[in-house]
Each structure stands twice: as C-alpha cells, then as structure tokens.
Amino acid sequence: MKTIAVLCDVAAEFGGAERYWATVLPQLAQRSVVRLFARRVEGTYALGLPAQQIDWAEENQPTSSTTRERIADAIRGADTVVTANVLDAEVLETVRDSRARWIARVHDHRPFCPNGNKVYPQFSAPCTNAIGGVCYANTLLRGCVRGPHRSSFELIRQRLRVRDAVAHADAVLVSSGYMRDVCIQNGLSEGRIHITPPPLGEAFFAPAVEPRSAAVLYAGRIEEEKGLLSLVRAVATIAEAARPSIAVAGRGSESYEHAVREAARHAHVHVQWLGFLDQPHLVQAIDEARVFALPSLWPEPFGLGATQALARSRPVVAYNVGGVGDWIADPHFSVPRGDERALGSVIEILCNDAHAWQRASAQSREIAERYRLSGHIDRLLSLLDIKVGSQE
C-alpha cells in the first residue's frame, strides 16, 4: 500500500480548499496510507483524518531555513507528497528535492500573485499580468502588496520562489481551464497541468426539489471581492413588486457586512442573514432558494458553491470571471463583471418566468453530473499512481 504525505496550509472546517480535502482525503485513506500535516490544525478530525501540526511560514511571512528539517522528517518514506495552499518556499523546495513524487494542487492565485486575488487594490480591477518584474512596478503605480516598501519586494521574491518550485512538481492540479491558463502564463509546463474540479459528495445530489421561496441565495465569504454588495445593487434594479429577497450564508468582514446592510436598507432589498452553515443546513438553504448567485468581482478560480447549487437543480447566475465559464449552465446566465443591471435582469427572469426556471433547473442538474465524487477520485488515484478500484 502506497504512503501519501499531504501538506495542507490549514486543517479546518471552513473554506473552499478545506472542504475539498475533507471530501477527498477519507476516500484516499481507503486505498493508501495517508499522513496529514498542516501549518495550523483546528479540530482533531477537521478534514476527516487526524492531522499533525508543523510550523511553517504563513502566506505573508518570511520563510525560515529551520523548516526544511521538519518537513524532511515529515515526508520521509512517503511515495507521494501532495501540497495544497502551501506558500512557504522552504517547504516546497524541500519536497522538490526529495525522492517522492510531488503533486501540487494550485487552489487559487496566490502562487502567482502577491496580492493573492489578481485584483489591483487601489482600482478594484483585475490584473492580467504574470508574476514578475511588473509586480515591483505595480507596488508603486497601483498600490499592490503593501505599496512601495521593502516588505513588498521581499514578498514578491518569496512568491517567485514559490512559483519556481511549483513548476518542478510532477503534476499540478487545478480546478478550471482558467486556472490552467494562469499556470501556463506563469511558466508552468502545460503537460504537467491537470484540470481536476472540486467534486461533490453524494449528499448534494437529489431529485429536483421545487423551491420553497423566491429568494436568491448567496453562500460564501462576506468580503468585497465576493461581490455581495454588487448583488444587492443588482436586485435593487428589479421593480419592487417583482423583487426577490436575498438569503446570505457565510461570514467574513464585519465592516463590509455593515456596508451591505446599509445599502440593502436604503435600496429596499430584503436580506436574510443565515450565518455560516454546515453542509446539511447549506443543502437546506439551497433547496429553499429559487436562484443561486455568484457575484464575484475577482477572477474566481472555480466557484464550488455554484456547483453545489447545480446538483440541487438550482439555476446559478454569475459575473463572467475566472473559471465561471467551466460550469455555467447557460451563457446567458453569466454577465460582464460588475454589470448590475444585466445581473438583475437575469435574476428577474428566473424568479418570475416559470418556464425559464424549469428549463434552467434541468440544465443545472445535467451540468452537475460532471462533478460526481467517484469520477474525481478515479482521476486522482491515477495521478497518484494508485490502481483504481484497489482497497488494500
């Protein structure tokens, strides 16, 4: 039986990357010996397996040469090492220099963007550049990283080391065609990149359930880049008599949430605040709603919440950013980034036209079939060089 060492940044219950590993790791543990290590561990079995905490640098902290010995000890004897959201170059270079097969999962933009989100902080516009010399210029011109300070330059250098290390991985896993293109733009070999979208557990799949309300559901972090305020403004463009309410599931910035509450109050948009929901309650919220909205203003690497809604036969509307095009059921349901009137128009149609909703619901369920867990695991086992179907 092969031994796999998995290095995750955080072993916790909250976050898209964490939900991915909580779904996948128990499946891998049935077919191999899995040793799980994380920079921070929250809960004994947060990802379905016991995790050992090992100190390494957070994403914006300087690296330490003493990390190498700890990581080398952790991965010793492993046939394969999997890294996920690790942004400490010392860790990645240690894995690179080991004899183990290395699979790096690139969950988001951080290996190629010192800001972490591919959005200029002063102008709130997406960046389309590869990481490199332009990042140094943009600390001055666009306020990137921490502005024109020595700490910004050091962080850029660290991220360049991360990129260079990941480029040596035997396989790089990404969630969408968009992220594959980002990797290629940043110098990674196309032949090593594999699109493996986050899978959906069987609990998300069910026969079509009629919505129990006319609400639009938003589920995700409450942060500016996720676009909840833009969604409120989009719904406000709908005539008040036909205007749906918004249900919000998630947590995040208190100041941003306050701004959204104030905007909704002034625009006469009713918002129900559900807080953070575990999986069973999230499924219930999806079933309650008529439409799921992903109004992200940053280039979404994928958009896991959207595919969860698709599996419940819920139409998804979104801004056309990042990896949205991989799973959107109908191109008419994705509109240009920030076009709130267009987003409001699509929402109005789906909330008030029963025929359009039924057609979109059926399309959504069909698209979701691509993301069954069984198919994802088979692909992952193949990349890990574990015989599909074996449970030793």
Side-chain angles (χ1 to χ4, degrees):
M1 185 176 282
K2 290 183 179 295
T3 298
I4 302 172
V6 179
L7 306 179
C8 287
D9 183 54
V10 178
E13 296 180 359
F14 182 66
E18 288 74 27
R19 288 198 300 272
Y20 170 82
W21 290 109
T23 301
V24 168
L25 287 180
Q27 297 290 321
L28 295 183
Q30 295 177 18
R31 300 163 174 86
S32 59
V33 176
V34 177
R35 304 202 308 253
L36 175 60
F37 305 93
R39 179 184 59 79
R40 189 174 81 244
V41 177
E42 299 177 1
T44 307
Y45 291 91
L47 298 183
L49 297 174
Q52 178 181 337
Q53 184 165 302
I54 299 180
D55 290 333
W56 64 70
E58 293 186 57
E59 60 179 280
N60 294 325
Q61 299 300 317
T63 60
S64 170
S65 58
T66 61
T67 301
R68 285 183 176 262
E69 184 176 351
R70 293 193 296 272
I71 297 302
D73 286 342
I75 67 176
R76 185 171 288 115
D79 300 291
T80 302
V81 178
V82 179
T83 58
N85 275 359
V86 177
L87 295 167
D88 185 330
E90 293 286 341
V91 175
L92 300 178
E93 289 166 358
T94 303
V95 176
R96 178 199 63 193
D97 296 340
S98 73
R99 296 182 177 181
R101 176 174 170 77
W102 177 19
I103 295 183
R105 183 161 186 89
V106 175
H107 177 72
D108 53 33
H109 297 289
R110 287 177 295 173
F112 315 118
C113 174
N115 285 339
N117 60 3
K118 295 292 285 184
V119 175
Y120 295 122
Q122 290 183 346
F123 303 94
S124 191
C127 171
T128 58
N129 297 305
I131 190 172
V134 68
C135 297
Y136 294 103
N138 281 334
T139 61
L140 174 63
L141 300 176
R142 300 176 183 269
C144 286
V145 199
R146 300 161 183 163
H149 301 290
R150 180 177 179 178
S151 61
S152 295
F153 303 149
E154 178 57 34
L155 181 56
I156 293 169
R157 284 192 289 270
Q158 288 183 31
R159 290 299 168 85
L160 287 168
R161 283 179 65 189
V162 168
R163 179 207 60 185
D164 292 345
V166 170
H168 285 85
D170 296 285
V172 176
L173 311 186
V174 296
S175 296
S176 64
Y178 166 75
M179 285 305 298
R180 174 201 58 204
D181 294 343
V182 169
C183 288
I184 294 170
Q185 180 192 35
N186 283 276
L188 275 64
S189 169
E190 183 174 4
R192 297 184 182 185
I193 303 169
H194 304 270
I195 302 175
T196 54
L200 297 173
E202 291 303 313
F204 279 102
F205 289 89
V209 177
E210 287 293 322
R212 293 186 282 271
S213 76
V216 176
L217 176 64
Y218 169 95
R221 287 184 289 110
I222 301 175
E223 305 286 352
E224 183 176 0
E225 65 191 21
K226 289 291 189 176
L228 178 56
L229 180 57
S230 187
L231 175 61
V232 168
R233 291 171 178 161
V235 170
T237 66
I238 302 171
E240 199 160 350
R243 188 178 297 168
S245 62
I246 301 174
V248 176
R251 62 190 179 197
S253 165
E254 292 183 2
S255 61
Y256 183 70
E257 179 180 324
H258 176 74
V260 174
R261 287 179 181 269
E262 286 298 298
R265 183 173 63 84
H266 286 294
H268 303 288
V269 174
H270 179 259
V271 179
Q272 180 185 10
W273 298 88
L274 305 177
F276 173 74
L277 300 180
D278 58 18
Q279 181 172 305
H281 289 96
L282 177 58
V283 168
Q284 183 179 344
I286 292 172
D287 288 349
E288 291 278 349
R290 189 172 182 86
V291 176
F292 186 96
L294 190 83
S296 291
L297 299 172
W298 74 311
E300 278 283 354
F302 183 69
L304 177 60
T307 57
Q308 293 170 342
L310 295 177
R312 307 300 293 185
S313 302
R314 288 300 176 267
V316 178
V317 299
Y319 288 135
N320 187 12
V321 295
V324 166
D326 277 30
W327 49 256
I328 199 76
D330 185 322
H332 294 99
F333 298 161
S334 64
V335 302
R337 176 186 184 271
D339 191 336
E340 293 163 357
R341 189 163 295 278
L343 187 63
S345 177
V346 176
I347 291 172
E348 182 176 10
I349 291 170
L350 291 171
C351 286
N352 296 286
D353 184 329
H355 178 69
W357 187 90
Q358 290 288 351
R359 184 175 65 251
S361 174
Q363 288 176 326
S364 299
R365 187 62 169 73
E366 183 179 347
I367 292 292
E369 288 296 325
R370 302 175 185 172
Y371 303 109
R372 290 272 186 184
L373 176 59
S374 56
H376 180 92
I377 293 298
D378 287 349
R379 181 84 188 280
L380 194 56
L381 291 174
S382 176
L383 292 169
L384 290 167
D385 196 26
I386 297 173
K387 185 177 180 181
V388 174
S390 67
Q391 295 191 14
E392 300 178 31

